[in-house]
């Protein structure tokens, strides 16, 4: 094999980095709730700080989408973790609102940098969907443990910020396994041999743009509810902070089960069915959770919703990775999703103040149903159908298994397995050697190469060669005349 063959190294450093970058959105309800309870801020102002945090995360993704191959994953990942630790620690250590805002912005930019590097590396894995599912599994487990622990450690607005900073610090050793700057030698979990440098155009621009825009609205709708879920539970359902923490931990535990099921299911159903049907079910859960007035209905809506959310998100990440194996669409789509997450708390607070929690749930559920249509269309365009015998298809090519129906067992070992990933296509430019002229090669006819063939075969070959309507014959005669 050549030196440019793609590498598929261990994925655990990317999972650790993904966890460090993605834990902040998962802890958004407790961050916003504690800012509202322990600082001189209104509910809308606390939600705005949460939005500013996530806006910094989205900004990092948009800024770094094309710079990760240029600078290398390891330096950017370490920069992001340093910014996350410094920003969140500063926000936790002060009660001055301007400093809290600055710390949240810096920490959010660091989280977004870590998430962008992880997303680009996950797109280069052999099975991006499975790796993203493991990453979401790790995030759900970490956030669930924090939801169970933080209420028992006392009050104060700084505790969630300190927890996010601690998770970022714990991910630092994993950066040693990432690839260094280009030309620095060695490759890690973020490195792949890429032919053609880092300046090539983005493939599938229309599908990628639709996916990014739909994911932004998809994330906005769900995080609008997630940002006010604590207020729904405490004000409308009458739950205490400890009970809320237990409900959120149970919901994230259901998310663990959902991600595990998605990882086991793989590509058996393609991407269109999990994304489209999952989004429609999430819309129903959002409306039900927003209208809950007791512990049972609130917990049921939150648990079912959080079980479905990481499943659909893992397939969406895999879909973005399929549009560009170098990870640029994965980073851009993730940044668009972070932008929607950033606008979620403010949107939820404004809708709740004007239409109430049930009206907010109906509006967000309708938005999710509308967004499910373009998401499903992009998934179908990018090959969302399962790879099963009889429907094997590669993008831009004819169905490959049409011949399998009549070939019997002769081709059974050559068909892709169910759920097999698509092959990576690499563009290779071949330049002619200077000063060399092309060689003329004279190929013998089948009759000359195989003299023992039957007379019927020779007659058919002669008839085919002598036929004036045969384009191959005309080309052969012209070449023969030229060679003579």
């Amino acid at each position: 094999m050549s030196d440019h063959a793609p590498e598929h190294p261990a994925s655990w450093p990317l999972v650790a980095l993904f966890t460090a970058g993605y834990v902040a959105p998962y802890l958004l309800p407790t961050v916003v709730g504690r800012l509202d309870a322990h600082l001189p801020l209104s509910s809308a102002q606390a939600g705005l700080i949460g939005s500013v945090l996530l806006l910094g995360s989205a900004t990092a993704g948009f800024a770094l989408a094309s710079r990760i191959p240029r600078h290398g994953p390891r330096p950017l990942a370490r920069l992001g973790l340093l910014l996350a630790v410094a920003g969140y620690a500063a926000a936790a250590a002060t009660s001055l609102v301007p400093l809290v805002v600055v710390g949240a912005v810096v920490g959010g930019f660091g989280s977004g940098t870590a998430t962008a590097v992880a997303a680009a590396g996950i797109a280069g894995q052999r099975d991006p969907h499975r790796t993203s599912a493991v990453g979401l599994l790790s995030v759900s487990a970490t956030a669930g443990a924090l939801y169970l622990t933080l209420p028992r450690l006392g009050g104060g607005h700084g505790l969630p910020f300190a927890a996010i900073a601690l998770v970022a610090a714990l991910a630092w050793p994993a950066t040693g396994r990432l690839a260094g700057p280009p030309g620095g030698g060695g490759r890690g979990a973020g490195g792949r041999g890429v032919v053609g440098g880092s300046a090539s155009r983005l493939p599938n621009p229309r599908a990628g743009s639709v996916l990014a825009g739909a994911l932004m609205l998809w994330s906005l709708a769900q995080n609008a509810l997630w940002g006010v879920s604590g207020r729904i539970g405490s004000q409308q359902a009458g739950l205490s902070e400890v009970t809320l923490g237990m409900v959120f931990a149970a919901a994230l535990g259901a998310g663990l089960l959902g991600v595990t099921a998605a990882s086991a299911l793989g590509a058996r159903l393609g991407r269109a069915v999990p994304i489209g049907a999952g989004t429609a079910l999430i819309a129903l859960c959002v409306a039900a959770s927003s209208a809950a007035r007791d512990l049972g209905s609130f917990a049921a809506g939150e648990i079912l919703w959080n079980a479905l959310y990481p499943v659909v998100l893992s397939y969406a990440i895999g879909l973005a990775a399929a549009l560009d194996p170098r990870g640029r669409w994965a980073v851009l789509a993730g940044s668009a999703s972070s932008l929607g997450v950033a606008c979620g708390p403010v949107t939820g607070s404004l809708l709740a103040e004007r239409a109430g929690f049930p009206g907010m749930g109906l509006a967000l559920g309708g938005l999710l149903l509308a967004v499910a249509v373009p998401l499903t269309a992009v998934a179908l365009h990018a090959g969302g159908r399962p790879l099963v015998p009889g429907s094997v298809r590669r993008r831009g090519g004819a169905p490959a298994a049409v011949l399998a129906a009549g070939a019997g067992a002769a081709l059974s070992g050559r068909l892709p397995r169910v759920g097999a990933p698509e092959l990576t296509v690499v563009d290779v430019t071949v330049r002619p050697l200077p000063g060399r002229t092309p060689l003329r090669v004279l190929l013998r006819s089948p009759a000359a190469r195989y003299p023992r063939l039957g007379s019927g075969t020779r007659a058919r070959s002669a008839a085919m060669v002598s036929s004036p309507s045969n384009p191959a014959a005309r080309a052969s005669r012209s070449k023969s005349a030229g060679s003579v």
Side-chain angles (χ1 to χ4, degrees):
M1 299 296 292
S2 65
D3 295 337
H4 296 291
E7 295 180 355
H8 303 285
S11 60
W12 71 264
L14 301 173
V15 171
L17 196 62
F18 185 85
T19 303
Y22 222 81
V23 73
Y26 269 67
L27 293 181
L28 188 63
T30 187
V31 169
V32 174
R34 292 203 176 211
L35 288 174
D36 184 15
H38 300 283
L39 290 181
L41 298 169
S42 64
S43 299
Q45 290 172 337
L48 182 60
I49 293 180
S51 296
V52 167
L53 184 155
L54 298 173
L55 186 61
S57 179
T59 303
F62 285 120
L64 298 175
S66 61
R67 290 176 171 83
I68 295 175
R70 187 183 310 166
H71 299 286
R74 187 195 303 156
L76 292 177
R78 289 180 173 176
L79 174 63
L81 294 179
L82 283 176
L83 291 176
V85 172
Y88 293 131
T94 182
S95 297
L96 298 176
V97 175
L99 294 182
V100 172
V101 173
V102 173
V105 172
V106 174
F109 192 89
S111 294
T113 302
T115 304
V117 175
I122 288 173
Q125 291 290 296
R126 186 182 301 275
D127 190 349
H129 170 258
R130 190 173 299 275
T131 306
S132 62
V134 174
L136 290 171
L137 190 70
S138 175
V139 174
S140 299
T142 303
L146 291 175
Y147 272 116
L148 288 176
T149 305
L150 293 179
R152 291 169 171 78
L153 297 180
H157 78 284
L159 202 55
F161 287 118
I164 300 173
L166 178 61
V167 174
L170 292 177
W172 181 270
T175 60
R177 300 295 300 273
L178 299 175
R187 289 177 182 170
R192 271 184 81 171
V194 179
V195 179
S198 60
S200 60
R201 298 176 58 185
L202 275 172
N204 304 299
R206 183 178 302 175
S209 300
V210 173
L211 176 64
L215 275 181
M216 182 185 69
L217 297 177
W218 185 84
S219 299
L220 182 146
Q222 297 189 72
N223 285 276
L225 175 62
W226 187 241
V228 298
S229 291
R231 292 169 55 193
I232 295 175
S234 60
Q235 299 175 13
Q236 186 170 279
L239 306 180
S240 64
E241 184 181 1
V242 176
T243 306
L244 273 176
M246 295 178 65
V247 170
F248 289 148
L252 293 175
L256 295 177
L257 298 178
V259 172
T260 304
S263 179
L265 182 63
R268 289 179 176 85
L269 296 179
R271 300 187 187 100
V273 173
I275 291 176
T279 301
L281 291 176
I282 287 175
L284 299 178
C285 294
V286 167
S289 180
S290 300
R293 296 188 178 276
D294 55 22
L295 174 61
S297 57
F298 179 75
E302 292 286 326
I303 289 174
L304 183 57
W305 169 38
N306 280 275
L308 293 170
Y309 172 82
V311 175
V312 180
L313 183 59
S314 65
Y315 281 98
I317 294 174
L319 176 59
L323 295 178
D324 180 19
R326 292 177 54 189
R328 289 168 294 179
W329 275 125
V331 175
L332 290 174
S335 301
S337 176
S338 298
L339 184 61
V341 171
C343 299
V346 174
T347 303
S349 298
L350 293 176
L351 286 176
E353 290 178 0
R354 297 190 177 187
F357 293 129
M360 177 199 69
L362 291 177
L364 296 178
L367 178 60
L368 284 171
L369 290 177
V371 167
V373 177
L375 284 176
T376 306
V378 174
L380 290 173
H381 170 75
R385 292 188 299 164
L387 299 181
V388 294
S391 64
V392 179
R393 188 174 184 271
R394 292 291 183 253
R395 291 193 298 274
V402 172
L403 302 177
L411 297 177
S412 60
R414 303 179 185 179
L415 291 175
R417 295 178 300 173
V418 174
E422 294 189 4
L423 299 177
T424 302
V425 179
V426 179
D427 294 331
V428 179
T429 303
V430 179
R431 294 179 297 179
L433 295 176
R436 297 292 181 91
T437 58
L439 297 178
R440 178 174 296 173
V441 180
L442 182 62
L443 299 178
R444 294 185 296 172
S445 66
R449 282 183 292 174
Y450 306 104
R452 295 184 180 182
L453 290 176
S455 60
T457 304
R458 289 198 300 269
R460 284 193 299 270
S461 301
M464 179 184 68
V465 172
S466 62
S467 175
S469 61
N470 188 2
R474 290 197 303 268
S476 177
R477 286 195 298 270
S478 62
K479 289 181 180 180
S480 299
S483 61
V484 172

